[in-house]
Amino acid sequence: MSTLYGPDMVSAQWKKGFHAGFFVRHQFNYVAGLHTELLASTRGFIDLNGTRFQFIYASLPVLASLKLNRRTDLLFGPAPGLFIGGMQTEKGKEAAELMPALRRADLSLALGMLFRPNDRYHLGVRVNSGLFPVANGWNAQHLNAQLSLGIYLPQLPR
Protein backbone atom coordinates (compact mmCIF):
# COMPACT_ATOMS: atom_id res chain seq x y z
CA MET A 1 0.00 0.00 0.00
CA SER A 2 1.33 3.45 -0.75
CA THR A 3 0.35 7.09 -0.67
CA LEU A 4 1.96 10.52 -0.47
CA TYR A 5 2.03 12.72 2.60
CA GLY A 6 2.95 16.34 3.22
CA PRO A 7 1.46 19.85 3.09
CA ASP A 8 0.56 19.55 -0.63
CA MET A 9 -1.36 16.29 -0.07
CA VAL A 10 -4.46 17.18 1.91
CA SER A 11 -6.26 13.85 1.48
CA ALA A 12 -4.52 11.38 -0.81
CA GLN A 13 -5.93 7.87 -0.62
CA TRP A 14 -3.84 4.69 -0.31
CA LYS A 15 -3.17 2.71 -3.48
CA LYS A 16 -2.41 -1.02 -3.74
CA GLY A 17 0.82 -2.02 -5.38
CA PHE A 18 3.47 -4.70 -5.40
CA HIS A 19 7.16 -5.28 -4.94
CA ALA A 20 9.20 -8.20 -6.20
CA GLY A 21 12.88 -8.94 -6.11
CA PHE A 22 15.74 -10.62 -4.34
CA PHE A 23 17.27 -10.34 -0.90
CA VAL A 24 20.56 -11.32 0.71
CA ARG A 25 21.05 -11.72 4.45
CA HIS A 26 24.32 -11.90 6.33
CA GLN A 27 24.50 -12.52 10.06
CA PHE A 28 27.61 -10.94 11.67
CA ASN A 29 26.96 -12.55 15.06
CA TYR A 30 23.97 -13.88 16.96
CA VAL A 31 22.45 -10.39 17.39
CA ALA A 32 23.44 -8.22 14.39
CA GLY A 33 23.19 -8.73 10.65
CA LEU A 34 22.64 -7.04 7.29
CA HIS A 35 19.55 -7.48 5.09
CA THR A 36 19.85 -6.08 1.55
CA GLU A 37 17.23 -6.21 -1.20
CA LEU A 38 16.95 -5.36 -4.89
CA LEU A 39 13.29 -4.63 -5.64
CA ALA A 40 10.99 -3.44 -8.39
CA SER A 41 8.17 -1.58 -6.61
CA THR A 42 5.04 0.27 -7.54
CA ARG A 43 4.12 3.31 -5.50
CA GLY A 44 1.40 5.85 -5.94
CA PHE A 45 -1.81 7.37 -4.65
CA ILE A 46 -5.37 8.28 -5.60
CA ASP A 47 -6.35 11.97 -5.42
CA LEU A 48 -9.73 13.48 -4.47
CA ASN A 49 -10.97 13.34 -8.09
CA GLY A 50 -10.26 9.61 -8.35
CA THR A 51 -7.19 10.11 -10.53
CA ARG A 52 -4.71 7.29 -9.98
CA PHE A 53 -0.98 7.96 -9.99
CA GLN A 54 1.37 5.00 -10.27
CA PHE A 55 5.15 5.22 -10.08
CA ILE A 56 7.58 2.35 -10.69
CA TYR A 57 10.88 2.35 -8.79
CA ALA A 58 13.94 0.14 -8.55
CA SER A 59 14.98 0.23 -4.91
CA LEU A 60 17.93 -1.05 -2.89
CA PRO A 61 17.12 -1.15 0.83
CA VAL A 62 20.24 -1.70 2.98
CA LEU A 63 18.90 -2.59 6.40
CA ALA A 64 20.53 -3.37 9.71
CA SER A 65 19.07 -6.50 11.28
CA LEU A 66 18.81 -7.03 15.04
CA LYS A 67 17.56 -10.32 16.45
CA LEU A 68 14.76 -9.83 18.97
CA ASN A 69 14.56 -13.58 19.56
CA ARG A 70 15.42 -16.78 17.70
CA ARG A 71 12.76 -16.26 15.00
CA THR A 72 12.14 -12.48 14.93
CA ASP A 73 14.34 -9.65 13.56
CA LEU A 74 13.98 -5.88 13.68
CA LEU A 75 15.06 -4.18 10.41
CA PHE A 76 15.90 -0.51 9.91
CA GLY A 77 17.91 1.65 7.54
CA PRO A 78 17.97 3.61 4.28
CA ALA A 79 16.05 2.54 1.18
CA PRO A 80 17.28 4.46 -1.89
CA GLY A 81 15.17 4.23 -5.03
CA LEU A 82 15.39 5.17 -8.71
CA PHE A 83 12.28 6.23 -10.66
CA ILE A 84 11.82 4.01 -13.74
CA GLY A 85 8.43 5.11 -15.06
CA GLY A 86 4.88 5.96 -14.21
CA MET A 87 1.40 6.81 -15.36
CA GLN A 88 -1.61 8.84 -14.45
CA THR A 89 -5.08 7.38 -15.06
CA GLU A 90 -8.31 9.38 -14.96
CA LYS A 91 -11.66 7.55 -14.74
CA GLY A 92 -10.33 4.42 -16.44
CA LYS A 93 -8.50 6.26 -19.24
CA GLU A 94 -4.77 6.81 -19.40
CA ALA A 95 -3.89 10.51 -19.28
CA ALA A 96 -1.13 11.94 -21.47
CA GLU A 97 0.61 13.65 -18.55
CA LEU A 98 3.32 11.60 -16.77
CA MET A 99 4.38 14.21 -14.24
CA PRO A 100 7.56 15.60 -15.85
CA ALA A 101 8.66 17.25 -12.58
CA LEU A 102 9.11 13.88 -10.84
CA ARG A 103 12.57 13.41 -9.33
CA ARG A 104 14.63 10.46 -10.58
CA ALA A 105 16.10 9.55 -7.16
CA ASP A 106 14.22 8.84 -3.95
CA LEU A 107 15.41 8.08 -0.43
CA SER A 108 13.30 6.56 2.32
CA LEU A 109 13.88 5.35 5.84
CA ALA A 110 12.61 1.85 6.45
CA LEU A 111 11.52 0.20 9.70
CA GLY A 112 10.12 -3.32 9.92
CA MET A 113 10.15 -6.81 11.34
CA LEU A 114 10.77 -10.29 9.95
CA PHE A 115 9.32 -13.45 11.44
CA ARG A 116 10.87 -16.79 10.42
CA PRO A 117 8.52 -19.68 11.32
CA ASN A 118 11.18 -22.04 9.90
CA ASP A 119 14.44 -21.91 7.91
CA ARG A 120 12.77 -21.93 4.49
CA TYR A 121 10.86 -18.64 4.47
CA HIS A 122 10.07 -15.45 6.38
CA LEU A 123 7.08 -13.14 6.71
CA GLY A 124 7.79 -9.44 6.90
CA VAL A 125 6.07 -6.16 7.59
CA ARG A 126 7.70 -2.79 6.91
CA VAL A 127 7.01 0.94 6.62
CA ASN A 128 9.07 3.13 4.28
CA SER A 129 8.85 6.88 4.77
CA GLY A 130 10.25 9.24 2.13
CA LEU A 131 12.74 11.89 3.20
CA PHE A 132 12.47 14.24 0.21
CA PRO A 133 9.66 15.54 -2.05
CA VAL A 134 8.87 13.22 -4.97
CA ALA A 135 8.69 16.09 -7.47
CA ASN A 136 10.18 19.54 -7.90
CA GLY A 137 7.82 22.20 -6.55
CA TRP A 138 5.59 19.62 -4.89
CA ASN A 139 5.82 19.24 -1.10
CA ALA A 140 4.87 15.56 -0.74
CA GLN A 141 6.86 12.43 0.14
CA HIS A 142 6.26 8.71 -0.38
CA LEU A 143 4.80 6.60 2.41
CA ASN A 144 4.62 2.82 1.89
CA ALA A 145 3.42 -0.04 4.05
CA GLN A 146 4.38 -3.48 2.84
CA LEU A 147 3.84 -7.12 3.68
CA SER A 148 6.33 -9.59 2.28
CA LEU A 149 7.10 -13.26 1.92
CA GLY A 150 10.75 -14.23 1.53
CA ILE A 151 11.84 -17.69 0.39
CA TYR A 152 15.37 -18.83 1.22
CA LEU A 153 17.41 -20.73 -1.34
CA PRO A 154 19.55 -23.59 -0.06
CA GLN A 155 22.98 -22.41 1.08
CA LEU A 156 25.96 -23.42 -1.01
CA PRO A 157 28.59 -25.53 0.76
CA ARG A 158 31.63 -23.60 1.90
Side-chain angles (χ1 to χ4, degrees), residues 30-50:
Y30 181 74
V31 176
L34 185 67
H35 180 98
T36 304
E37 301 173 352
L38 177 59
L39 300 173
S41 300
T42 60
R43 303 176 190 172
F45 68 99
I46 303 169
D47 72 9
L48 288 173
N49 299 321

Side-chain angles (χ1 to χ4, degrees), residues 80-152:
L82 182 65
F83 176 72
I84 296 173
M87 71 165 55
Q88 172 184 338
T89 307
E90 295 182 40
K91 297 184 184 174
K93 296 186 220 174
E94 186 175 322
E97 182 182 328
L98 292 179
M99 302 185 59
L102 205 61
R103 293 180 191 228
R104 301 283 301 161
D106 184 50
L107 181 62
S108 298
L109 283 181
L111 176 64
M113 294 182 74
L114 288 181
F115 173 69
R116 292 180 311 284
N118 59 43
D119 293 335
R120 298 183 57 86
Y121 66 93
H122 69 243
L123 303 170
V125 61
R126 187 162 71 216
V127 173
N128 302 291
S129 181
L131 296 176
F132 304 105
V134 297
N136 295 321
W138 200 17
N139 196 359
Q141 292 91 333
H142 285 295
L143 179 61
N144 306 326
Q146 67 186 55
L147 296 174
S148 62
L149 170 65
I151 300 170
Y152 294 91

